Amino acid sequence: DAGVIQSPRHEVTEMGQEVTLRCKPISGHNSLFWYRQTMMRGLELLIYFNNNVPIDDSGMPEDRFSAKMPNASFSTLKIQPSEPRDSAVYFCASSNDRDHEETQYFGPGTRLLVL
Amino acid sequence: SQQGEEDPQALSIQEGENATMNCSYKTSINNLQWYRQNSGRGLVHLILIRSNEREKHSGRLRVTLDTSKKSSSLLITASRAADTASYFCATHTRKAAGNKLTFGGGTRVLVKP
């Protein structure tokens, strides 16, 4: 299995631009998580989906952030408009709760820099 | 505030020595997990201990859990330079839907050759 796939791996953009991050979870996993990691705030859960349905989006910073999961093999995290304080590493993770496996598998992350 | 808090925040040891780090949490848990993150990479799951377990081993890793004190420790024995990484504890609570985990701030471990 290829593991969790994220794209792009690096993104540099200017303030005000739209940014779209993509994630392909491990095949067969039914939960997907979006995290943000910074030195100041550590690892924060932004939103997670279970069976393609958003369960908890309380970590989404504000209306500029949105996430979708149109099917079991794809999710996007969009920031519009982007701001310099959004600069961080964004991780996607997936897990399978059907077999009572409770570990999460992380992708390599997307490093976002907003100038 | 975070569910899991690691202590110490940073640790520097010589190769061959043991490294111990601790995690405290606030609410009842279903299980507690430890993850490792190498610089510039995603987190990798190391070990899971359930609330009814007190100790678990995996290779050079030993994890303990004390639910009465709401704390856990991770011991890495005979450390190697390749163990240099950040280590995070994560708690899975009974209220969580799906497999939501709450991560602590991490312990940065430097193993000097």
Side-chain angles (χ1 to χ4, degrees):
Chain A
D1 199 319
V4 175
I5 298 173
Q6 292 188 246
S7 65
R9 294 293 307 277
H10 303 271
E11 178 82 24
V12 180
T13 190
E14 292 187 345
M15 184 173 63
Q17 296 298 306
E18 177 179 297
V19 174
T20 299
L21 311 181
R22 297 172 177 80
C23 176
K24 177 178 169 54
I26 292 173
S27 177
H29 282 191
N30 67 333
S31 291
L32 184 140
F33 307 81
W34 282 102
Y35 293 91
R36 178 174 67 178
Q37 186 177 40
T38 62
M39 288 293 292
M40 291 296 293
R41 294 187 298 269
L43 190 66
E44 304 172 280
L45 176 65
L46 300 177
I47 184 172
Y48 79 98
F49 297 83
N50 188 250
N51 296 320
N52 310 339
V53 175
I55 301 299
D56 183 350
D57 66 353
S58 60
M60 295 287 262
E62 48 199 271
D63 292 345
R64 297 184 299 106
F65 285 69
S66 63
K68 294 181 180 179
M69 191 163 187
N71 57 64
S73 59
F74 184 65
S75 177
T76 59
L77 178 67
K78 186 175 293 186
I79 308 172
Q80 166 63 20
S82 59
E83 297 183 2
R85 58 187 168 133
D86 301 330
S87 297
V89 181
Y90 290 81
F91 289 103
C92 175
S94 70
S95 72
N96 177 8
D97 66 0
R98 294 189 205 92
D99 298 328
H100 304 290
E101 293 181 14
E102 292 141 328
T103 62
Q104 293 184 12
Y105 297 80
F106 281 73
T110 294
R111 287 186 178 277
L112 173 64
L113 177 60
V114 183
L115 302 173
Chain B
S1 59
Q2 297 191 65
Q3 165 75 324
E5 295 290 344
E6 285 92 341
D7 168 56
Q9 290 188 331
L11 183 59
S12 180
I13 56 174
Q14 292 293 139
E15 203 165 26
E17 293 179 343
N18 295 342
T20 300
M21 59 211 86
N22 304 295
C23 171
S24 60
Y25 57 92
K26 296 182 173 65
T27 63
S28 296
I29 62 171
N30 186 39
N31 65 66
L32 186 144
Q33 304 176 31
W34 286 90
Y35 287 76
R36 183 188 72 223
Q37 183 181 32
N38 291 92
S39 181
R41 304 284 186 94
L43 279 72
V44 174
H45 177 259
L46 293 176
I47 194 167
L48 179 154
I49 187 165
R50 300 196 180 279
S51 60
N52 61 353
E53 297 176 311
R54 290 297 167 259
E55 188 170 312
K56 205 162 185 180
H57 297 254
S58 176
R60 293 183 297 111
L61 305 179
R62 182 171 79 97
V63 170
T64 63
L65 179 66
D66 187 334
T67 52
S68 66
K69 295 181 179 178
K70 292 186 169 54
S71 68
S72 173
S73 68
L74 172 67
L75 168 67
I76 305 173
T77 61
S79 63
R80 305 167 181 169
D83 295 328
T84 294
S86 291
Y87 293 82
F88 295 86
C89 70
T91 52
H92 181 277
T93 60
R94 297 184 189 278
K95 293 181 183 179
N99 286 333
K100 177 182 175 180
L101 298 176
T102 304
F103 285 84
T107 294
R108 295 189 309 279
V109 175
L110 172 63
V111 182
K112 294 179 280 187

